Amino acid sequence: MGALAAGIAMFGAALGGGIGDGIVISKMLEGMVRQPELSGQLRTNMFIGVGLVEAMPIISFVVALMVMNK
């Protein structure tokens, strides 16, 4: 039962992370098209945002491992 819960948790985290990354990157590209002179600042902010979005699947992976070993 723990393996099933871990799999569901990882599925949700991976799905959410993928959607979040897509939204962050698409909005950054929209901003670069509208104001090309801010592309460096937008790119920096995008990397910070992607890092924060990707933190959730990593945390979910650790929790899933803990649930499986319980």
Side-chain angles (χ1 to χ4, degrees):
M1 196 61 145
L4 180 62
I8 291 171
M10 280 307 303
F11 170 75
L15 184 66
I19 291 171
D21 282 344
I23 291 171
V24 167
I25 292 171
S26 70
K27 295 300 179 182
M28 187 273 303
L29 289 174
E30 286 178 18
M32 283 179 70
V33 167
R34 290 182 183 171
Q35 293 184 336
E37 65 274 3
L38 292 177
S39 65
Q41 184 179 5
L42 289 172
R43 189 175 301 117
T44 302
N45 289 339
M46 188 253 332
F47 284 131
I48 292 170
V50 167
L52 292 173
V53 168
E54 286 297 320
M56 187 52 71
I58 294 169
I59 292 170
S60 177
F61 177 69
V62 171
V63 170
L65 287 178
M66 290 170 48
V67 166
M68 285 180 53
N69 290 330
K70 189 174 184 182

